[in-house]
């Protein structure tokens, strides 16, 4: 797949477009009304310098890098040399600037990416809704094309998704602890890939849960997701070994299909039917262990315990400066003992083993990424009960994959006259390449680009 470079890069190398031209288009979009609220800060001058450097390399007949001339936004969670990493908070806004890039940022820069700015996020990456009371919340640009009611962007990589949906960035670097890449991707009609966590270094990022945090990105297409993952993970993505049969997908009927709204239910059923008609083998399975997660994580799980360890000293002195909803979730970890944490680690290990046994005969699983389309923003700003109800629903499906230590891809599966809906293709740890390859075929089939779903 490394030979299959994205169209923008081919244009640069073929001189059909310059890196400078591509970056200027992104900068123009970043200043427009849809995209501007996505950014905490913009770095247009360095982005132009990166593009000019790429054009000089192309002019000299050399390879400018896999991402040369492509604007990439950076979630306000990652260290960028010379910039302050505030993680959507106020307590870190006066912290010293970072001395060096986080490894993920450094890899993007080395590949020629033009870093266009830092994007808004839920404070300290808590919540799948995307609301931030300190800095404002960008509304969803994808839903605005169909409905004038401002709707949530999804979180916690809220501004990152908006920057891509509005054309200000080709990709958005973000993090996914319980769905923070896949939720905003699904709600904005984008592609979000959560890799197996250990494939990309998490150093240089403010942690939410060191057990579950994953560094990954939002893009417009699966092909682009592969290109950026290859850079972030510093590895080539390979097609899985060819098989004489079609893709074999499982659809878990427990938990993942509960309480779907009408648009999501219709889009998911239609997508599964289309893939089956195209030749995919699809089997409904109960997957009983999914129903255990609520009990296993009843005390708050890894996000509560590990965020409490990180934030407890700040909360003791500066809790009033936190988003109260974030502080409330972190404080759940205060009541967890070391024994509780050890029990959680053991329970997860056992649960993963049973899940992997149940999944081993399938190439991937299919589920709705989230059970709802993006709800209106205003009712969730001031109503805690409504906020936490929506937040829990948004996190429910994608967080299962994080607890599995798995990998997942959210691809759009709605029609042009529907609000965005995401289809999640997922599996256990180490199945990244199969999930991505299946995603290419599923994306193509749902877009009507070919008449069958081959394997690999």
């Amino acid at each position: 797949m490394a030979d299959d470079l994205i169209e923008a890069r081919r244009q640069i190398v073929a001189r059909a477009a310059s890196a400078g031209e591509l970056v200027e288009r992104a900068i123009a979009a970043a200043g427009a009304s849809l995209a501007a609220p996505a950014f905490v800060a913009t770095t247009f001058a360095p982005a132009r310098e990166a593009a000019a450097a790429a054009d000089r390399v192309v002019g000299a007949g050399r390879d400018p890098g896999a991402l040369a001339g492509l604007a990439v936004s950076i979630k306000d969670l990652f260290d960028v040399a010379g910039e302050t990493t505030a993680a959507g908070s106020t307590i870190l806004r006066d912290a010293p600037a970072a001395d060096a890039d986080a490894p993920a940022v450094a890899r993007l820069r080395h590949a020629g990416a033009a870093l266009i700015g830092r994007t808004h996020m839920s404070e300290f990456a808590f919540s799948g809704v995307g609301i931030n009371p300190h800095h404002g919340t960008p509304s969803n640009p994808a839903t605005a094309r169909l409905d004038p009611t401002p709707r949530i962007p999804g979180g916690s990589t809220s501004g990152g998704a908006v920057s891509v949906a509005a054309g200000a960035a080709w990709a958005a670097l973000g993090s996914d602890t319980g769905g923070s890449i896949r939720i905003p991707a699904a709600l904005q009609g984008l592609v979000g890939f959560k890799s197996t966590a250990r494939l990309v270094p998490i150093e240089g990022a403010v942690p939410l849960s060191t057990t579950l945090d994953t560094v990954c990105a939002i893009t417009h297409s699966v092909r682009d997701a592969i290109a950026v993952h290859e850079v972030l993970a510093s590895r080539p993505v390979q097609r899985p070994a060819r098989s004489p049969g079609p893709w074999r997908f499982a659809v878990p009927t427990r938990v993942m299909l509960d309480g779907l709204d009408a648009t999501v239910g219709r889009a998911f059923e239609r997508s599964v039917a289309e893939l089956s008609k195209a030749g995919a083998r699809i089997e409904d399975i109960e997957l009983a262990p999914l129903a255990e997660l609520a009990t296993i994580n009843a005390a708050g799980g890894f996000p509560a315990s590990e965020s409490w360890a990180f934030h407890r000293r700040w909360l003791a002195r500066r809790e009033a400066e936190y988003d109260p909803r974030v502080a409330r979730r972190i404080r759940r970890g205060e009541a967890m003992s070391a024994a509780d944490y050890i029990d959680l680690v053991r329970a997860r290990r056992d649960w993963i083993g049973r899940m992997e046994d149940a999944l081993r005969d399938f190439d991937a699983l299919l589920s709705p990424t989230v059970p709802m389309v993006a709800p209106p923003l205003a009712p969730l700003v001031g109503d805690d009960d409504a906020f936490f109800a929506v937040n829990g629903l948004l996190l429910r499906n994608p967080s299962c994959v994080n607890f599995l230590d798995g990998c997942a891809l959210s691809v759009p599966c709605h029609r042009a006259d529907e609000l965005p809906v995401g289809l999640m293709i997922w599996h256990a740890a180490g199945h990244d390449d199969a999930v991505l390859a299946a995603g290419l075929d599923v994306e193509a089939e749902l877009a009507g680009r070919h008449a069958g779903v081959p394997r690999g």
Side-chain angles (χ1 to χ4, degrees):
M1 290 185 185
D3 293 333
D4 243 338
L5 296 176
I6 53 176
E7 179 61 28
R9 182 175 179 271
R10 286 199 296 267
Q11 288 182 350
I12 294 170
V13 175
R15 303 294 188 92
S18 70
E21 289 170 339
L22 294 176
V23 167
E24 289 302 328
R25 292 176 202 167
I27 289 172
S33 59
L34 281 178
F39 291 93
V40 177
T42 53
T43 50
F44 295 159
R48 288 183 170 115
E49 291 170 6
D55 286 332
R56 287 194 296 271
V57 171
V58 171
R62 303 194 305 275
D63 186 340
L67 308 184
L70 301 175
V72 177
S73 65
I74 307 296
K75 187 176 185 178
D76 190 31
L77 191 80
F78 294 94
D79 286 347
V80 177
E83 299 179 10
T84 295
T85 307
S89 73
T90 58
I91 67 170
L92 293 180
R93 64 185 172 189
D94 297 322
D99 293 328
D101 290 339
V105 174
R107 290 177 179 182
L108 292 170
R109 198 190 295 276
H110 181 72
L115 308 185
I116 196 168
R118 305 182 70 85
T119 52
H120 279 289
M121 57 181 285
S122 309
E123 184 185 55
F124 292 117
F126 274 94
S127 106
V129 178
I131 291 173
N132 186 311
H134 306 306
H135 305 298
T137 302
S139 61
N140 191 322
T143 62
R145 300 182 182 104
L146 292 174
D147 180 0
T149 303
R151 292 176 178 267
I152 67 167
S156 63
T157 312
S158 53
V162 171
S163 72
V164 176
W170 165 79
L173 178 67
S175 61
D176 190 309
T177 305
S180 289
I181 284 285
R182 289 161 288 154
I183 293 168
L187 297 184
Q188 297 189 45
L190 300 169
V191 170
F193 177 55
K194 179 241 177 290
S195 63
T196 301
R198 59 180 172 270
L199 293 181
V200 183
I202 62 173
E203 291 79 18
V206 176
L208 194 171
S209 164
T210 51
T211 295
L212 304 177
D213 290 346
T214 309
V215 176
C216 39
I218 295 170
T219 60
H220 278 291
S221 71
V222 178
R223 179 70 62 198
D224 292 352
I226 291 169
V228 73
H229 174 68
E230 290 186 325
V231 169
L232 291 175
S234 191
R235 71 178 193 97
V237 170
Q238 304 293 335
R239 286 272 187 173
R242 220 166 185 18
S243 164
W247 289 107
R248 188 180 181 196
F249 297 132
V251 174
T253 57
R254 280 210 177 194
V255 178
M256 295 286 194
L257 301 183
D258 292 348
L260 304 184
D261 75 21
T263 303
V264 174
R266 184 168 57 246
F268 181 72
E269 289 180 10
R270 181 178 64 233
S271 299
V272 170
E274 289 175 1
L275 294 173
S276 180
K277 184 178 179 181
R281 296 169 58 196
I282 301 177
E283 179 180 339
D284 288 348
I285 61 172
E286 186 178 21
L287 202 54
L290 289 176
E292 302 170 17
L293 283 180
T295 300
I296 292 173
N297 290 294
F302 292 109
S305 56
E306 293 172 349
S307 65
W308 171 249
F310 183 80
H311 288 274
R312 66 189 189 278
R313 294 178 182 84
W314 286 335
L315 283 170
R317 296 181 289 109
R318 306 178 66 177
E319 184 169 351
E321 298 174 59
Y322 278 71
D323 175 352
R325 292 167 174 171
V326 171
R328 172 176 164 181
R329 291 184 67 194
I330 294 172
R331 280 206 172 273
R332 294 186 70 191
E334 187 176 10
M336 292 182 68
S337 67
D340 293 332
Y341 186 84
I342 291 170
D343 286 345
L344 180 62
V345 170
R346 289 173 175 164
R348 185 193 190 211
R349 186 184 305 120
D350 171 73
W351 186 85
I352 288 175
R354 289 184 287 118
M355 283 285 285
E356 290 179 340
D357 286 343
L359 306 184
R360 68 176 67 257
D361 292 333
F362 297 99
D363 297 309
L365 293 88
L366 305 177
S367 302
T369 307
V370 294
M372 65 177 70
V373 296
L377 173 61
L380 304 183
V381 172
D383 187 330
D384 281 359
D385 290 340
F387 172 88
F388 282 111
V390 167
N391 187 59
L393 284 173
L394 290 173
L395 293 169
R396 186 194 69 196
N397 287 8
S399 65
C400 295
V401 181
N402 297 79
F403 200 78
L404 179 63
D405 190 27
C407 52
L409 183 71
S410 180
V411 299
C413 67
H414 58 285
R415 290 179 173 166
D417 61 347
E418 295 174 328
L419 291 174
V421 177
L423 172 68
M424 187 165 69
I425 306 163
W426 58 284
H427 210 301
H431 290 256
D432 301 73
D433 292 4
V435 164
L436 288 166
L440 284 171
D441 291 338
V442 169
E443 178 185 58
E445 182 58 43
L446 296 183
R449 289 198 289 268
H450 59 65
V453 181
R455 177 188 171 89

